Amino acid sequence: MPRDYYEVLGVGREAGDDEIKKAFRRLARELHPDVNRHDPAAEERFKELAEAYEVLSDGERRSVYDRYGHEGLRSGGFEPNFASFGSVADIFEMFFGGGDLGSIFGGGSRTGPARGPDGAVEVELTLAEVATGVSREIEVELTTTCSACHGNGAEPGTPIETCPRCEGTGQLQSVSRSVFGQLVRTMPCDACGGDGKIAATPCKLCGGRGHELGVQTLTVDVPKGIEDGQRVRLSGRGHAGARGGPPGDLYLLVRVEPDPRFERHGDDLVTRLDVPFTDAALGATLPVETLDGTESLELRAGIQPATVLRLRGHGLPALRGRHKGDLHVVVNVLVPTRLDDEQRELLERFAESANGETYPEDKGHHEGLFDRLRNAFRG
Ligand SMILES: [Zn+2]
Ligand SMILES: [Zn+2]
């Protein structure tokens, strides 16, 4: 025996239409399949709820139910019209074509010509271009507004008429009885695509669609500081919409070519500087390649292998804000591998003169290159 409909809705027998509707919406929201995935109990409760509302929202059925109860309805031929549906999701699908909460409970339906699809194109930059940002000419295949009819789909010189199907409103309405009472659905007209107007003679070039596919050359700006794998959205530069609908967006998929001289860590760069062991011992000023030229770097006498020096502001600009990264220079001490007789003799004499003061304590030698780099980034 089904439960009492008033009990199901949690309202009194004197409840008005408004109160019944409110109670139903509140409970339906709680039991919606998006909220209660794979909960059979919730599905059963929703079906019960839908049936209760189906009856109590209809004055005639309600009075039959009030007088004769469930039996009276059944003998009067009432069948809940969703009885054959397997799940709540199916019921929502039947009434609302999709059944998401937004469209059922107050979300507006979209009308007007459809927006065009998004496009995507890959753009490859060098690290130097990342430093400055770049304006780039690209070729991309896009649908564009038809050059003959300018998007209205009519053969030039022929009239555009009011769409007979929607009578110029661009919208079609379907009215149905449902558990939610009288339900009006609005959707874009399928004859004119939501335009309200239709071509008497379709454009020969585009077949009346209003757009054509072609390779376009575009100039696009890629912002400085961008990283490999990031996307840039160019609003409204994608495919043209149907019949004058707004265009979609164009996405640039950014690839940054690796530069063998530099390793990137966010906005910072790391490079290696080869330093002859004599320069390391005596001190020297050496040129360092940066992204935009050459800088002189002063090395103090006795600088140790894998020392990291920082050239401030010679990294990459941040994508947002004014920050600029640094260039970290890792000292790579070169040890000679081939000595002639004279060099060998000089080094032997040097070795003989070396004493306990010549070499530094072994402090920090346990600290590897990567520890030093990590410390450098911390500073
Ligand atoms: Zn055309
Ligand atoms: Zn129409």
Side-chain angles (χ1 to χ4, degrees):
M1 195 66 191
R3 271 211 296 160
D4 177 63
Y5 290 146
Y6 291 98
E7 198 184 306
V8 171
L9 280 163
V11 297
R13 301 192 85 84
E14 310 306 318
D17 288 349
D18 250 23
E19 194 183 342
I20 286 173
K21 189 185 275 178
K22 266 190 204 143
F24 173 70
R25 288 186 169 237
R26 183 174 51 76
L27 291 166
R29 228 179 254 126
E30 285 170 16
L31 296 170
H32 188 276
D34 282 356
V35 183
N36 297 277
R37 274 180 211 290
H38 318 302
D39 180 357
E43 292 200 356
E44 282 315 308
R45 278 193 60 207
F46 180 80
K47 284 187 202 171
E48 192 182 35
L49 180 69
E51 184 181 321
Y53 184 70
E54 180 89 31
V55 171
L56 296 189
S57 63
D58 181 307
E60 213 171 297
R61 283 190 191 136
R62 185 177 174 182
S63 72
V64 171
Y65 177 70
D66 284 347
R67 273 179 288 169
Y68 308 109
H70 291 292
E71 271 315 300
L73 282 171
R74 294 288 185 275
S75 59
F78 171 75
E79 274 294 325
N81 60 6
F82 44 81
S84 59
F85 284 83
S87 72
V88 176
D90 290 339
I91 298 172
F92 274 92
E93 177 72 29
M94 180 183 76
F95 289 124
F96 308 106
D100 62 287
L101 282 168
S103 67
I104 296 167
F105 302 109
S109 58
R110 194 191 55 76
T111 56
R115 181 178 170 274
D118 294 335
V121 63
E122 204 172 273
V123 182
E124 190 164 279
L125 305 188
T126 64
L127 212 49
E129 287 171 326
V130 170
T132 56
V134 70
S135 187
R136 177 66 64 75
E137 250 186 25
I138 53 162
E139 290 198 332
V140 55
E141 195 171 54
L142 290 173
T143 53
T144 53
T145 302
C146 172
S147 54
C149 64
H150 304 290
N152 67 20
E155 182 64 13
T158 68
I160 294 171
E161 294 165 349
T162 300
C163 172
R165 187 155 160 74
C166 63
E167 294 170 323
T169 61
Q171 297 176 2
L172 294 179
Q173 294 190 332
S174 70
V175 181
S176 57
R177 274 278 314 147
S178 80
V179 292
F180 293 88
Q182 180 150 303
L183 186 74
V184 181
R185 293 189 67 193
T186 304
M187 61 200 92
C189 172
D190 55 5
C192 62
D195 226 13
K197 294 186 170 59
I198 203 160
T201 312
C203 167
K204 283 199 194 77
L205 188 63
C206 66
R209 286 185 306 276
H211 53 75
E212 51 189 340
L213 188 65
V215 175
Q216 291 235 319
T217 305
L218 298 177
T219 304
V220 296
D221 292 323
V222 185
K224 60 184 163 53
I226 197 104
E227 284 197 55
D228 183 65
Q230 284 185 310
R231 303 195 307 172
V232 179
R233 186 169 69 100
L234 302 175
S235 171
R237 311 229 0 220
H239 299 287
R243 293 189 182 88
D249 299 331
L250 181 64
Y251 285 94
L252 305 180
L253 310 174
V254 175
R255 293 276 151 225
V256 179
E257 275 175 67
D259 188 317
R261 301 170 301 166
F262 303 103
E263 201 178 288
R264 183 174 184 177
H265 294 260
D267 302 332
D268 286 339
L269 295 173
V270 179
T271 192
R272 195 186 77 183
L273 180 64
D274 290 337
V275 179
F277 78 116
T278 42
D279 282 346
L282 300 171
T285 300
L286 295 180
V288 178
E289 266 190 89
T290 65
L291 262 184
D292 53 359
T294 308
E295 285 291 309
S296 296
L297 193 61
E298 227 172 273
L299 305 176
R300 63 177 186 275
I303 197 163
Q304 296 298 303
T307 299
V308 181
L309 301 170
R310 186 195 323 226
L311 286 171
R312 282 193 188 274
H314 284 277
L316 295 167
L319 187 56
R320 288 176 191 84
R322 292 181 164 195
H323 173 79
K324 246 192 129 186
D326 301 327
L327 176 61
H328 302 267
V329 183
V330 182
V331 171
N332 180 46
V333 174
L334 299 178
V335 176
T337 51
R338 259 177 304 189
L339 299 170
D340 62 23
D341 289 347
E342 189 188 351
Q343 289 166 333
R344 176 174 298 277
E345 198 182 315
L346 283 168
L347 283 183
E348 281 168 354
R349 277 172 55 199
F350 170 75
E352 279 161 21
S353 72
N355 56 38
E357 304 288 298
T358 309
Y359 294 102
E361 297 273 305
D362 195 14
K363 65 169 190 249
H365 250 132
H366 59 277
E367 191 189 39
L369 169 61
F370 293 109
D371 293 321
R372 286 182 195 225
L373 273 178
R374 220 170 289 127
N375 291 338
F377 288 128
R378 214 170 281 142

